[in-house]
């Protein structure tokens, strides 16, 4: 899922998810992922639920860093992305086999079992617990949910011992170069659009990392965060162009910016030299 993607009731673009994957993987906090791997290292088989899994980018980033036996359950509302994930996993893995609807990957000797599940986690934040996970992880997901959903999610996991990991939650600290006169106006309009209901209630947007961390802290977790910004340059020109297009479109849809202002900004930003798009990663460990 993505902070620039359509609402959960809509279909997410596999093309957009593929385009952003390299930038996502570069940005993720290696330090938090190392601590996560260490926490799970004693488990014979690590059971992992990936929320809003989309086409499986989170697994491709994290599975190579975890243990020799992993069992992933990829949860999403959109079943069409499961086939995109299956195709990408086959190309990514050193080998693979199918066991019914389950896909078993060989990743440099690691055995990674993958299942796909449709669940309405908007209505039921506790739904991942039915899979008996050791870890619940998500990437570019929590900025889509509401503050109330975060509170209910945290309360559901209190006392369960489940580790929680959130990668690439947007934090609003974006910067484009060179400067443009409409940067502030566009950013404010985009944040307004970001706060609209994506199926979970009014979205937390750029405040999501703080809201989620505070809720999980109150539920008994020890929280650690790390910045994970996209740092895009000329080598990311296609991603920059699509990002500029999506940002301008969202700004217009917010009703806060005239279409001609957004069009001028979009034209300039589609050819930008680079940009920094702020994200934060979070690791929540049960308090011993």
């Amino acid at each position: 899922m993505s902070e620039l993607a359509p609402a959960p009731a809509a279909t997410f673009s596999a093309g957009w998810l593929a385009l952003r994957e390299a930038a996502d993987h570069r940005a993720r906090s290696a330090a938090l992922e190392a601590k996560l791997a260490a926490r799970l290292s004693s488990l014979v088989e690590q059971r992992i639920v990936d929320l809003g899994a989309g086409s499986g980018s989170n697994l491709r980033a994290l599975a190579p860093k975890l243990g020799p036996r992993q069992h992933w359950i990829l949860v999403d509302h959109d079943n069409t992305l499961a086939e995109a994930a299956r195709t990408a996993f086959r190309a990514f893995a050193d080998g693979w086999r199918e066991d019914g609807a389950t896909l078993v990957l060989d990743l440099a000797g690691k055995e990674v079992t993958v299942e796909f599940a449709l669940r309405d986690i908007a209505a039921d934040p506790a739904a991942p617990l039915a899979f008996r996970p050791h870890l619940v992880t998500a990437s570019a997901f929590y900025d889509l949910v509401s503050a109330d959903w975060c509170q209910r999610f945290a309360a559901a996991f209190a006392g369960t011992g489940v580790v929680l990991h959130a990668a690439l939650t947007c934090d609003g600290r974006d910067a484009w170069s060179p400067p443009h006169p409409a940067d502030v106006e566009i950013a404010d309009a985009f944040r307004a659009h970001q706060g609209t209901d994506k199926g979970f209630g009014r979205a937390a947007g750029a405040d999501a990392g703080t809201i989620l961390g505070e809720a999980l802290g109150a539920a008994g977790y020890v929280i650690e965060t790390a910045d994970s910004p996209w740092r895009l340059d000329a080598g990311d020109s296609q991603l920059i162009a699509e990002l500029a297009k999506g940002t301008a479109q969202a700004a217009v849809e917010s009703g806060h910016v005239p279409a001609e202002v957004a069009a001028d900004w979009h034209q300039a930003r589609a050819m930008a030299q680079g940009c920094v798009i702020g994200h934060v990663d979070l690791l929540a460990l049960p308090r011993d």
Side-chain angles (χ1 to χ4, degrees):
M1 297 180 88
S2 161
E3 62 270 18
L4 291 179
T11 299
F12 291 93
S13 165
W16 165 250
L17 296 177
L19 181 60
R20 65 174 288 168
E21 183 162 324
D24 281 344
H25 289 192
R26 291 197 308 263
R28 296 167 65 112
S29 170
L32 289 191
E33 290 177 348
K35 290 184 179 182
L36 170 60
R39 177 72 179 217
L40 301 179
S41 62
S42 63
L43 297 170
V44 174
E45 181 180 62
Q46 300 167 349
R47 291 184 60 83
I48 302 157
V49 173
D50 186 10
L51 299 181
S55 56
S57 177
N58 198 21
L59 184 152
R60 288 188 289 277
L62 195 54
K65 302 173 184 179
L66 299 181
R69 288 186 60 199
Q70 304 169 37
H71 190 130
W72 286 69
I73 301 94
L74 273 58
V75 176
D76 208 302
H77 72 283
D78 180 8
N79 199 38
T80 62
L81 287 175
E83 282 308 309
R86 285 179 181 274
T87 299
F89 290 151
R90 293 183 189 114
F92 175 70
D94 298 304
W96 58 272
R97 60 183 171 84
E98 291 183 332
D99 184 3
T102 301
L103 189 63
V104 182
L105 309 177
D106 174 8
L107 300 182
K110 299 177 189 287
E111 183 180 275
V112 179
T113 301
V114 185
E115 294 183 49
F116 300 87
L118 286 173
R119 291 294 185 277
D120 183 5
I121 54 175
D124 183 12
L129 289 170
F131 298 107
R132 299 178 290 107
H134 302 112
L135 166 67
V136 172
T137 181
S139 177
F141 170 73
Y142 288 100
D143 40 66
L144 298 171
V145 307
S146 67
D148 175 70
W149 190 93
C150 285
Q151 296 288 344
R152 291 188 290 126
F153 176 79
F157 281 83
T160 63
V162 176
V163 176
L164 298 166
H165 173 251
L168 300 162
T169 303
C170 69
D171 64 9
R173 294 182 292 173
D174 303 345
W176 293 76
S177 59
H180 186 279
D183 279 344
V184 173
E185 188 177 5
I186 292 291
D188 289 346
F190 178 73
R191 299 303 163 220
H193 184 275
Q194 226 180 2
T196 57
D197 188 345
K198 307 299 191 301
F200 298 83
R202 179 172 177 78
D207 297 323
T210 299
I211 291 169
L212 179 65
E214 290 177 350
L216 290 172
Y221 281 87
V222 177
I223 309 302
E224 187 171 351
T225 61
D227 291 341
S228 54
W230 282 355
R231 300 187 185 276
L232 309 183
D233 57 26
D236 304 296
S237 58
Q238 187 179 359
L239 178 56
I240 288 173
E242 286 299 313
L243 181 62
K245 178 181 177 181
T247 301
Q249 179 180 344
V252 172
E253 290 175 358
S254 75
H256 291 257
V257 172
E260 57 271 20
V261 172
D264 179 71
W265 184 90
H266 172 213
Q267 184 177 17
R269 286 300 175 227
M271 299 179 291
Q273 297 172 4
C275 62
V276 176
I277 306 297
H279 301 94
V280 64
D281 288 5
L282 178 149
L283 177 62
L285 299 179
R287 188 172 284 118
D288 292 332

